[in-house]
Amino acid sequence: MAADAQRAGLEATAAPWAQPGRDVASALGTGPDGLSEAEAQARLDAFGPNELPEERGAGLLRLAGRQFASPLIAILLVAAAVAAALGQLVDAVVIALALLINAVIGFVEETRAERSMAAIRRIVPGLALVVRDGRERSCAPRLLVPGDVVVVREGMRVPADCRVLRAAALAVDESALTGESEPVGKDAAPATADAPIADRPSMLLLGSLVTRGHGRAVVTATGSDTEIGRLAGRMRGIARVPTPLEERMARFARLIAGAVLAVCAAGLAVGLVRGEPFADVGIAVVALAVAAIPEGLPIVLTVALAISMQRMARRRVVVRRLAAVETLGSCTAIGSDKTGTLTMNRMEVRVVEADGASWEPGDEVSAAVRRALVAAALCNDASAVAADDGYETTGDPTEAALLVAAARAGLDRDALDEERPRLAEVPFEAERRTMLTINRVGDRVVAYLKGAPEAVLERCAEGPDGGPLDRAAAHDHAEALAAQGMRVIATAERHLDGAPERAATAERAGGFRLLGLHGMIDPPRPGARAAVAGCREAGIRVAMLTGDHAATARAIAEQLAIAGPDARVVTGAEIDRMDADGLRLAAAEAAVFARVSPQHKLAIVEALRDQGQVVAVTGDGVNDAAALRAADIGVAMGRGGTDVAREAADIVLLDDDFESIVAAVEEGRVAFANVRKTAFYLVTTGIAAILVVLGAVAGRLDAPLLPAQLIWMNVVTNGIQDVALAFEPAEGDELHERPRPRGEGIVSRLLWERAVVLGAVMAVGTLGLFLWELHAGSGLERARTVALTTMVLFSAFHLGNARSERRSAFATSPLANRLLLVGTVGALGVHVAAMHLGPTRRVLGLEPLDPPTWLAMALVASTVVVAGELHKRLRRP
């Protein structure tokens, strides 16, 4: 078929699930013998390979450029350029070095994250079975084209989107695409044209796993045209939202820029009005600009996030973007997928009810329960092998769960097969909803039956005790288990008369004895309940977003304490009927959303963000990708998750442990707290420097601090200490605090107030000693040395104020952050050395000072601690 005719065929099969399989194959120009090799090659040339376009990671140049995208960095670049233009080459070089250090740290950390992501991307090529020229053969999935006829069998991945032509007991696991935790039966019967993805039994979707049976299907879409491809395309079309930290830094940079312009304009105006020489005024203005800009903050921001990033990496958490570290700390709501995220994504028998007895794994096994489990193990095609961490299973998840339950009850499947060999079987089919095996037990022949309770009960005449079956009571028991979110399987047996080869009619004949009801569920992950409780204690609301059924979602939500037994469950169908206000209300109030599609998840995330919430989304499936991308922070599962989900996320949990989210929240809050401490520290010293310069201009004094001296203080002496502040350990109460409001700045209003008060104290002390030296007859160079050194000492003492927003400086041990202690001593040592070394003395205009002067400066500088303690007592947050 020519390419244009083939495209017409694809258009004619816009809803292949709603058309007879024969018509779909005909429209695609294929038949039972499949395509010819020549036609397949022509279509491959026309439509391209069956691959999803991989989202390329950030290149090295892009990563490098990203380090200079911050507004604060832009301000510093302008400051360096102005300094160079005014001939202050020392100032320009120092600022440039600060920018380079910041860029190198950020570049190294983000490239490390990209390498970690590359290591966990899994490409599982496998092989597809395709019919071409009438013969079955193996084929790389990337070579499949629309119109190919493929064969699918148990254990295989579906290689493309396909319309079922023929199926025998076929079931697939579509949990990665739909969130449905149970395998879905497939057959060739058409569905309705408006059926959602989860309700199209005639379709096989790329990436789903065949758990039972076999069949043939015709490929209807490949690559980007598949359901998973379209989801991935929509996800990549969603722009990443700026993180709260990026928003705060942008606001902070605008505030600093405005302050710089205002202060410089004021200083310039005052100087010119008074008739000061322009050169002197220019030096003062440059000094004001340098004093107002916290040159060390971008470095500290990068270091603080990088430290948390490395701590999280040790906990098996990969952070793809530095700013994402802090976002979880600001998070107010988490929308979590259920299957594979909150739960194990495997079925597990929780209870067996037999002859009035109720058994749970670990309990003593009664004779009635044993008979039910024997039937479940023999009428079973799965396998389970004991492993260090449980059982390794293959086959249908439901059958595997029954087999594991039997093993935990002490039954050996191999021994049972030897004692009771299988003679015949009737495989499971979706229409009958049962499976039957015929086994020889000693000199008797026994039929074992398992399946949906209503289907099994129809064929039963006796109860577990051998008496007449109370069918209504059995139905009630089954419904009670189902109401708890369990999938229920019934088992039964019948002793047969006659030769086993005639026993295939036994199922239709009925007369079975009900043995038991087996309730199973996809169990919550260990620690998930504690993690949810930890999130709640941290002020974070957790909601479940799942494609699974409402009863199952409610049961898991209740087990995890996400919602109570009577909590409202909002379904996707209800969301479709809601207007924008109704959706916002539901998103704010409901904690469980069931039978939701990727579009529904995306709408819920956007509704929460519209209310000012900082939203995190966790997930592992393709159906989670759009919401992961649109959220403030996306958290994907690294081990069991899909590639598309990982590419959409900002953070990847390598161990798939939901508990890691709580640890990440704590790390994020510690990172932000350290950024805030440093910003407060730098803003305070900046305000002090501005007030010193403005005080000198107002008093018609010589400049107490030169631009080079201010840069020396900001970048070299303070720079050593502020970087060390980024290593502050957790204070211990981070998870007991409420999340920060989205509009709250890097520096809170209370800390701005404290910074002004303490900055004034520092400025008064510095100007006082500067004037004292001048009045004592000292030269200008000595007076400036005293002023600069006093500011350096003020900064060292002020570290005690900055280490905690609420606690006393005397309540935090200096040994808790050894790097800060060493950094403070080191910064003072560097400054003392600069006062004695010839090159730095000439560049900075310094001279050595005597011990009495040092004592006076230290006493004055210590007053900032007294002022800080008073403010903490009088103005508590």
Side-chain angles (χ1 to χ4, degrees):
M1 178 183 284
D4 55 350
Q6 171 62 12
R7 293 183 192 278
L10 288 175
E11 293 174 1
T13 56
W17 58 88
Q19 303 178 40
R22 185 184 299 105
D23 294 350
V24 174
S26 177
L28 291 170
T30 190
D33 290 338
L35 300 174
S36 67
E37 290 289 352
E39 177 62 24
Q41 184 60 51
R43 295 188 184 189
L44 185 63
D45 294 339
F47 294 102
N50 177 33
E51 294 175 327
L52 297 180
E54 184 175 321
E55 187 173 27
R56 297 179 64 183
L60 294 182
L61 288 177
R62 185 178 172 188
L63 281 176
R66 190 186 292 172
Q67 311 312 316
F68 295 93
S70 164
L72 270 181
I73 297 295
I75 293 175
L76 292 177
L77 285 171
V78 172
V82 170
L86 292 176
Q88 304 294 325
L89 295 180
V90 173
D91 301 352
V93 169
V94 171
I95 294 174
L97 284 174
L99 293 174
L100 182 62
I101 292 169
N102 171 72
V104 168
I105 293 173
F107 179 80
V108 168
E109 291 302 326
E110 293 206 20
T111 50
R112 180 180 297 170
E114 287 295 324
R115 287 196 299 270
S116 297
M117 278 302 300
I120 65 172
R121 289 188 185 107
R122 292 183 292 114
I123 301 175
V124 186
L127 287 175
L129 282 177
V130 63
V131 178
R132 287 185 181 165
D133 293 321
R135 299 192 308 274
E136 274 187 31
R137 71 176 189 83
S138 297
C139 169
R142 67 182 303 275
L143 301 179
L144 292 178
V145 296
D148 263 327
V149 174
V150 295
V151 177
V152 291
R153 295 172 181 160
E154 182 177 322
M156 295 176 62
R157 290 273 177 191
V158 176
D161 281 6
C162 308
R163 172 61 167 87
V164 177
L165 300 176
R166 188 167 69 240
L170 184 62
V172 300
D173 178 359
E174 294 180 342
S175 59
L177 292 100
T178 66
E180 173 72 63
S181 59
E182 299 176 9
V184 180
K186 297 292 181 178
D187 55 49
T192 58
D194 60 351
I197 293 176
D199 296 324
R200 299 174 186 172
S202 59
M203 290 296 295
L204 301 176
L205 302 179
L206 171 64
S208 53
L209 176 68
V210 179
T211 61
R212 183 179 61 237
H214 56 87
R216 288 199 175 200
V218 58
V219 175
T220 58
T222 58
S224 299
D225 294 325
T226 61
E227 290 293 341
I228 188 174
R230 284 194 287 270
L231 281 171
R234 284 196 292 270
M235 177 270 293
R236 288 166 182 150
I238 298 171
R240 286 194 183 275
V241 296
T243 68
L245 181 61
E246 289 167 339
E247 293 174 351
R248 291 184 175 109
M249 286 300 294
R251 289 196 301 269
F252 185 75
R254 288 194 295 269
L255 178 63
I256 294 296
V260 169
L261 291 175
V263 169
C264 289
L268 183 63
V270 171
L272 293 179
V273 167
R274 290 185 171 180
E276 302 282 347
F278 183 79
D280 293 343
V281 175
I283 291 174
V285 169
V286 170
L288 285 171
V290 171
I293 299 173
E295 289 91 345
L297 187 56
I299 298 174
V300 173
L301 174 65
T302 302
V303 170
L305 296 180
I307 292 167
S308 290
M309 192 175 184
Q310 291 171 3
R311 288 172 180 166
M312 292 167 73
R314 288 195 290 270
R315 298 188 183 193
R316 304 283 292 164
V317 177
V318 172
V319 180
R320 301 190 65 198
R321 285 197 299 164
L322 273 178
V325 171
E326 183 274 339
T327 307
L328 269 179
S330 301
C331 176
T332 60
I334 296 178
S336 178
D337 176 45
K338 177 185 73 70
T339 306
T341 303
L342 292 170
T343 65
M344 298 295 293
N345 197 18
R346 70 163 188 259
M347 301 303 289
E348 182 178 285
V349 173
R350 282 297 179 88
V351 63
V352 178
E353 292 191 354
D355 195 17
S358 182
W359 174 84
E360 297 180 5
D363 292 351
E364 186 175 345
V365 182
S366 67
V369 168
R370 189 178 190 281
R371 283 194 297 270
L373 289 171
V374 166
L378 290 171
C379 189
N380 197 312
D381 288 330
S383 65
V385 178
D388 293 338
D389 56 350
Y391 291 86
E392 293 182 0
T393 63
T394 57
D396 180 80
T398 298
E399 292 195 322
L402 293 170
L403 206 55
V404 169
R408 287 176 174 168
L411 298 175
D412 185 325
R413 164 70 176 275
D414 293 337
L416 286 175
D417 284 340
E418 284 188 21
E419 294 171 6
R420 309 181 184 203
R422 183 182 299 186
L423 304 176
E425 66 180 84
V426 180
F428 177 90
E429 289 185 2
E431 295 83 0
R432 298 188 344 272
R433 296 184 297 165
T434 59
M435 174 184 178
L436 179 138
T437 63
I438 308 297
N439 297 69
R440 181 175 296 282
V441 182
D443 58 355
R444 295 174 299 168
V445 176
V446 179
Y448 292 108
L449 180 70
K450 85 169 190 309
E454 52 272 29
V456 172
L457 290 174
E458 286 178 3
R459 296 164 172 81
C460 289
E462 298 178 6
D465 60 357
L469 175 65
D470 186 342
R471 190 169 278 103
H475 272 296
D476 289 344
H477 280 300
E479 289 177 3
L481 293 175
Q484 299 175 44
M486 296 189 191
R487 183 180 188 190
V488 184
I489 297 294
T491 52
E493 69 176 10
R494 180 186 172 194
H495 293 264
L496 302 178
D497 297 322
E501 58 266 20
R502 296 198 302 271
T505 61
E507 183 183 15
R508 293 192 298 273
F512 281 82
R513 175 187 180 183
L514 178 67
L515 295 179
L517 298 172
H518 308 251
M520 63 185 68
I521 200 166
D522 178 12
R525 286 186 175 276
R529 183 185 176 94
V532 170
C535 289
R536 184 178 294 109
E537 186 176 4
I540 302 171
R541 176 171 162 260
V542 179
M544 179 190 294
L545 315 178
T546 179
D548 216 335
H549 296 283
T552 304
R554 179 185 282 110
I556 294 295
E558 184 181 353
Q559 290 182 44
L560 296 176
I562 291 174
D566 300 322
R568 177 189 179 190
V569 177
V570 178
T571 65
E574 291 178 69
I575 293 175
D576 289 334
R577 296 191 295 269
M578 291 178 181
D579 58 16
D581 290 337
L583 178 57
R584 280 193 289 270
L585 183 63
E589 294 180 350
V592 184
F593 297 84
R595 301 305 280 175
V596 292
S597 68
Q599 290 77 16
H600 294 140
K601 292 186 179 184
L602 181 59
I604 293 166
V605 169
E606 291 174 344
L608 288 170
R609 294 194 75 249
D610 286 345
Q611 299 169 34
Q613 303 268 9
V614 178
V615 184
V617 169
T618 70
D620 66 336
V622 176
N623 58 326
D624 302 313
L628 288 168
R629 185 65 163 251
D632 291 289
I633 185 164
V635 183
M637 304 296 115
R639 186 168 57 189
T642 61
D643 289 336
V644 173
R646 289 195 292 265
E647 293 292 345
D650 302 290
I651 288 178
V652 179
L653 309 181
L654 295 184
D655 55 5
D656 291 4
D657 191 346
F658 191 80
E659 277 189 291
S660 299
I661 293 177
V662 178
V665 167
E666 182 179 21
E667 289 294 347
R669 292 185 177 183
V670 170
F672 179 81
N674 289 346
V675 171
R676 169 169 280 183
K677 292 171 185 176
T678 305
F680 165 65
Y681 171 75
L682 293 175
V683 164
T684 305
T685 57
I687 289 174
I690 289 171
L691 292 177
V692 167
V693 175
L694 286 179
V697 172
R700 295 177 179 268
L701 302 174
D702 289 316
L705 298 169
L706 297 173
Q709 291 175 334
L710 286 168
I711 291 179
W712 171 261
M713 182 182 71
N714 284 358
V715 177
V716 180
T717 56
N718 285 3
I720 295 173
Q721 296 164 108
D722 57 32
V723 169
L725 260 181
F727 289 81
E728 276 292 294
E731 293 186 35
D733 57 356
E734 284 80 7
L735 291 179
H736 301 290
E737 299 177 357
R738 308 299 297 175
R740 293 176 296 280
R742 192 176 195 117
E744 185 175 293
I746 293 286
V747 179
S748 66
R749 290 184 178 182
L750 180 62
L751 287 182
W752 273 112
E753 176 189 306
R754 189 176 297 167
V756 171
V757 171
L758 300 186
V761 171
M762 295 166 72
V764 169
T766 300
L767 278 174
L769 286 179
F770 177 72
L771 290 172
W772 178 275
E773 287 294 327
L774 291 179
H775 290 158
S778 300
L780 183 59
E781 185 169 291
R782 175 181 167 85
R784 283 174 172 164
T785 302
V786 169
L788 176 61
T789 306
T790 301
M791 284 291 292
V792 169
L793 289 171
F794 264 127
S795 298
F797 278 107
H798 181 46
L799 285 169
N801 296 323
R803 292 186 68 191
S804 177
E805 189 173 346
R806 296 174 301 277
R807 295 178 181 175
S808 167
F810 302 102
T812 52
S813 169
L815 298 179
N817 185 350
R818 296 177 186 273
L819 186 61
L820 181 61
L821 179 61
V822 172
T824 302
V825 174
L828 292 174
V830 168
H831 183 70
V832 171
M835 296 165 61
H836 290 81
L837 294 176
T840 50
R841 286 181 58 183
R842 287 190 296 273
V843 171
L844 299 176
L846 301 178
E847 62 179 59
L849 299 174
D850 54 80
T853 304
W854 274 100
L855 179 60
M857 292 186 298
L859 289 173
V860 170
S862 65
T863 60
V864 75
V865 177
V866 176
E869 292 296 303
L870 287 173
H871 193 273
K872 287 180 182 179
R873 281 182 173 273
L874 297 174
R875 297 281 286 134
R876 293 185 179 276

